[in-house]
Amino acid sequence: MANQRRDAAIVGIYEWPKRVDPSVSAMQMKAASIKAALDDAGLKWSDVDAIYDAGDGDGGGGGLGLAAYLGLKPTVIDTTQVGGSSYEFHAAHALRDIAAGKAKVAVLSYGSKSATRRVPIGTGGGAGGGTWSGNMESPYGTTLIANYAMVANRHMHDYGTTSEQLAHISVATRHHAMRNPEAVQAMTDLQFVGVNEITIDDVMSSRVIADPLHLLECCMVSDGGGAVIIASADVARNTKKKPVWIIGSGEATKYRENGSDITTSAGAQSAPLAFGEAQVSPSEIDIAMIYDSFTITVAVCLEDLGFCKKGEAGPFVSTSGIAFDEPGKLTLNTDGGGLSSNHPGMRGIFLLLEAARQLRGESTSQVPGAKLAVSHGNGGLLGGTHTGGTVILAAD
Amino acid sequence: MPNRPQPDLPEHDTAAFWEGVKAGELRYQTCNDCKEVVFTPRAHCTACGSGKLTTKAAKGTGTVYTYSVVRQSRHPNFADLGAYSVAYVDLDEGFRMLSSIVGVNDPTTEIKIGMPVKVEFEKQDTGDYPIPVFRPV
Ligand SMILES: [Zn+2]
């Protein structure tokens, strides 16, 4: 703890409240979210000197295009695009750039219209042909969900994990979502069959999309956006809300290799880097914001982050108490997650937003006195090419 | 007959693989310098960076590493297949490829991890290239 770094902190946050919103463009969502997050921090538009962007707003040009759209002239631009974990990478890079003295006020933003545009994220075709990887994959019609399902099947084969165990993740996440008015509105607007608490049986009796994953183990497809302001320590001491310090980060990649273990993700490499830098252990973490594209993503990442041993996520999620009002030590995805609050395609920014809300005491499923949180994004395909981005956050 | 998407050729890394498929061969590569098995096909060794690779024909036998059965796909080419399998197959020569397991009545119950399989080159409704798929042996 003594040497835990205090170089940069999340000082402003904003999450776009609507999950189906035909009234704005994705770029408008980003700009308005940035303004709202700056207001939350008590900072000005012109204070921004660093932009991190995954090119998600469809405005073109990544960080450069966004700077022009916003009307800002940042001296740091980072257009890292590594899938849904891009925002964890951005937070890591912002920490480095601020610690190096290259920036003082960094902006991360997200905007996506996947629901309005009816993008079939999970069930559309895989990679197109014409590339070194697409030509080897497109003939087989692998959907995104089937890719994750292949991880689940191997996990079940190797460790005896069951669908009933994984269903606990869906149940706890929905429990949190029902306390979050924006998530309730999202499920209503997206015409969920039942906007209510769910049971293990509900998950098990929902239809199979790709064996062994059921509908209620899959994230929704929504619109959504938001922004995060990360500032240097001197700026953070004078902002409106209490700072949420970034105390460690790790970045890693993984892809299909001959003989490799599909049940281990890039998180196994990124998490030790982040925990090592933060000088905390997984057992000290209060809040885990883990990218829940599917139940299996959470299970694999909980293991890889060290919350349980490899292969033990099934018993862990079904017996340890992962909901905020259960006695267990670790609380998971308190905003309602991608499963029940929002998933516009790349959900990583929401992992940072809800972790920051928890450490400020502002969550709708607040864990009293939460001090340490981890945000872990898995970007790309869990059973194929993907990244793991781990960020450790601390309240004073 | 199935109507799987064709590879989009010419493409530098995968052209030789697909010419092999046309000739009834499942091709893979090994590195002349470090003996690494390279797959999917590339022009360099993924272990040492060497450009000296030898293309070989695999026996076509292996085991199912993992699989799923797609029950919902919006891809037009797969609309008529019903529930269809996708799988990673570990070939005996030491490489893993994405493919599909065919020749089972019910893919949701008959495909097993570890099941021995053999390649076959499945003719398609349209296009010059058959697609390598695997059948239980
Ligand atoms: Zn080599």
Side-chain angles (χ1 to χ4, degrees), chain A residues 120 123 130 132 135-136 138-142 149-150 153-154 157 207-211 256 258 260-262 383, chain B residues 4-5 8 11 14 18 37 39-40 65-69 71-72 74 78 84 86 88 94-96 98-99 113 132:
Chain A
T123 55
W132 67 277
N135 268 357
M136 304 302 289
S138 63
Y140 300 107
T142 321
M150 286 199 283
N153 258 343
R154 186 72 201 192
H157 174 268
R207 72 177 192 276
V208 174
I209 306 292
D211 299 63
R256 184 202 54 74
N258 299 326
S260 69
D261 174 12
I262 202 172
Chain B
R4 299 175 181 277
D8 187 355
E11 192 284 316
T14 53
W18 287 105
V37 175
F39 194 89
T40 59
Y65 174 69
T66 189
Y67 73 98
S68 179
V69 181
R71 312 266 192 115
Q72 183 176 333
R74 299 198 190 279
F78 294 91
Y84 60 91
V86 294
Y88 281 125
F95 65 95
R96 180 174 296 169
L98 181 70
S99 188
I113 288 174

Side-chain angles (χ1 to χ4, degrees), chain B residues 3-4 7 11 18 21 23-24 27 38-39 42 46 51-52 59 79 82-83 100 104-105 108 115 130:
Chain B
N3 187 26
R4 299 175 181 277
E11 192 284 316
W18 287 105
V21 168
R27 291 181 180 169
V38 176
F39 194 89
R42 268 159 279 197
T46 48
K52 297 187 196 107
K59 291 186 313 239
S100 181
V104 294
N105 290 319
T108 67
M115 169 187 268

Side-chain angles (χ1 to χ4, degrees), chain A residues 72-92:
Chain A
L72 292 172
K73 290 186 174 155
T75 48
V76 171
I77 284 193
D78 180 325
T79 311
T80 298
Q81 166 34 312
V82 291
S85 58
S86 295
Y87 313 89
E88 280 66 45
F89 279 59
H90 294 165

